[in-house]
Amino acid sequence: MAIVKTTYNRRSFLKTTALAGGGMMLGFSWLAGCQPASEEALEMPKEWFEINSFLKIGENGVVTILSPNPEFGQNVKTAMPMIVAEELDVDWKQVIVEQAPFNTDLYTRQFTGGSQGIRQGWQGLRMAGATARQLLREAAAQAWQAPVEEITTEAGVLYHKNSGKSAGYGEMASAAAGLPVPEEVQLKDVKDFRIIGQSRKNVDGLKIVTGQPLFGVDYRRDGMLIAMISHPPAFGMKLKSVDDSAARNMPGIKDIFTIKTYEEEYERNAFDTNTFPELVAIVGNTTWEVMNAKKALRIEWEPFSDYTETVNSWGGKQSVRIPAGLENTSGHIAKMAEMAAKPGNVLRKDGDPEAAFKNAAKVIERTYTAPFLAHNCMEPMNFFAHVTADKAELAGPLQAPEFIEQTLSARLGMPLEKIDIHMTRMGGGFGRRAYSHHMVEAAVISQKVNAPVKLLYTREDDMTFGIYRPAYHATYRAALDADNNLIAYQVKAGGIPESPLGRGAANRFPAGAVDNYLAEEWAIASNITIGAFRAPRSNFIGGAEQSFLDEVAEAAGKDPIEFRLDLLKRAQNNPVGENNDYDPARYAGVLELAREKSGWGQEQPNIHRGVAAYFCHNSYVAHVLDLTIEKGKPRIERACCAIDCGIVINPDAAANMAEGAIVDGIGNAFFGAMTFKEGVPEKNNFNNYRMIRIGEAPKAIDVHFVQNDIDPTGMGEPPFPPIFGAVANALYKVTGRRSYDQPFLGDKQVLG
Amino acid sequence: MANFTLSINGKKQQVDVDPSTPLLWVLRDHLNLVGAKYGCGVAQCGSCTVHLEGVAVRSCMLPISVVGNQSITTIEGLSEKGDHPVQKAWLEHDVAQCGYCQTGQIMNAAAFLKANPNPSDEEIEAAMSGNICRCGTYVRIKAVIKTAAAG
Ligand code: FES
Ligand code: FES
């Protein structure tokens, strides 16, 4: 049985209070799970002690957790109460999760992204559940004058066997609130879990299938006006003049004006991406009226000159140059090829790659590219705002309220305590909603018209606003000796405007498994804005690397899984270099599981198989795709997926996430692309931006989890990157041609 | 502006709107029925699907002036307690991720199954191809339709 400390250096992760109407409230730190394993560890950061979540037990026995993490389909709203219910020992149906309002005084680190929700909440939620249970047992022991060791619990009821007494949690909650928090509590053994690991249905399922108002776009307030924006039609352009004479007098229109999202000289943070600093705002009574007036505006735009912005990012203050010009996709491709031919910035070097390549029996060199991608969340960007002289009320979909709240405070000149942000369920995020300029825009518009306003982007506004997944390019080289051993490996990768090898990707497999290794990067500045997109950077480099390894395995005359496993064995037994960012045994584990479950090696007629694996965001994933050709088009007959994300809280919901990532990956590998002509995004709605549809999704997906007792890690992103490699490798088996440039199909319909 | 009397979910409702207003915005802005969603506005994603005389239509491109007295059913009126066979099967398969596209998918599936109670896989794919799910819940959607058809 694991014992966890609820205090560290006399500071506590937990705090109890009595609820006004009876019952107890236990405040806890969402980040307590970050505590180091040993007492000798470095001094702990202050925020690990900040009470940022609450668990309430009402007199009726209902348990409520206030979750600081917004929901966008990852289903944490079901998984988190399961964790609390497990340790608290209640029927999980008695636990409900409420979305906590955003409040920096009470909650910190409210962020959905990086597949971190469950990973960071795990320890804190367990500790909170176990502590509350312990307090309830102590309260019962006092009330019944019995030793606390004799008090047992089951499904929300306290029992004392010897006296035959029992009481619901609700009955003891008020008394428990008055007791001191124990300094340490026992957590359950993994083998005793009864809720964690058993699939539970989405707690919001009924609301979703009956169309209840859950999303930002559904938000409504008496007297609320509708607002839309017009932004420049091209990157590299800015506003010149607006002629609103026709639009202004159209029915239902209240006002038309220009806004600046940020003040001049404002020092941006990493999430204040400012694609178009000046916009035209149209405000009116109803959506249709505003849409029509927006079309009737006559706006002149003009090219801007180079300018520099200060961005206060993780690496400290940086001066970022935004180049002038109207960019073209063809120009991007040529520039990337040019950069790839020059030496890059060295990120890691092991051994003597140059010499190894010189002495190689075989050298393989291949180049991979991928275009910009739009997130295309199903719910377009929108936000409700009501800004008055003394407060600002905001409601809508956003992933990272903590960053944007500071921005808003600076923009409105209003202190944080007067700003209240309500986080609605998000109709998709995929990274896009970590950039909440639309919230600031809504607030500025509301302030100007002095009324509650809901700002809505049209699909076209949303798709052409930037903040895309960057365009990428990677060149790989591999050297084989006369016995077909991989003796050297090089990757040189870059992108517009960032490299896909940043933040440690250069230390991932096969680094550590090859004696001579070199990773270099480069980047090209652009005025097209980019942002996090499901598994940033990995979403390209993972697929490119896995396609290349497939080709190297073939050149070495080895089975692609066997080839990878041999390298992983090397990394496990005799690793090269330091800082290798993966666990070779867990990496091999998913490959082995996928090999077994897919029936790898048992050839079937007309089934063409591709394999790929990757590690990112703390979890390991391997896919085997079975591809067939139907009516001249490739179709995935079956996707077999193996995942090691430690303990799985809610298996069916986790499988759903993986299915979604697989479908998303196949869609983007086949069709995903945003292209530009003279700065204009060439796609602006779903009639020209090709999205995967039901007839292109796999016919079947089976998801298998590695069973272990390791603390849970993320699920939202890791299954996504390797899909690109698996698709390319399976396509090769059909066509005999390798796919190097995404999208692999594009508008091409028929394969040879 | 013009007056329209609509028959929505079995009730008569009056609205005073521009005749070109798409049904989607009449539902969402004027009648506070927000189950039908805006996704594209150009009949490409299916988020806005409702039934017109029992047939699935894209409400984002359907001007209110052509609706007349045809009966409209929205997700809010598909069943009283969310217990339409398609909704039940939807919950059984726990389809939703973000949930945004789901009402449109359900409305499309419900109308399709009424017209074709025993569909093949290919027919399901053809009928549902106008509904985009950005979260990628397609495999489950297909399974739901088969469950609902069987039950
Ligand atoms: S909003 Fe009507 S089909 Fe997309
Ligand atoms: S569930 Fe998110 S778009 Fe379908």
Side-chain angles (χ1 to χ4, degrees), chain A residues 310-325:
Chain A
T310 310
V311 179
N312 203 345
S313 180
W314 290 287
K317 266 186 212 178
Q318 273 178 298
S319 179
V320 181
R321 187 180 69 91
I322 316 292

Side-chain angles (χ1 to χ4, degrees), chain A residues 287 375 425 459 635 692, chain B residues 29 38-39 98 125 134 138:
Chain A
T287 313
H375 294 77
R425 186 181 185 89
R459 172 58 58 195
R635 183 79 193 264
I692 189 167
Chain B
D29 282 358
Y38 168 71
C98 82
E125 287 176 5
R134 174 65 181 87
Y138 296 128

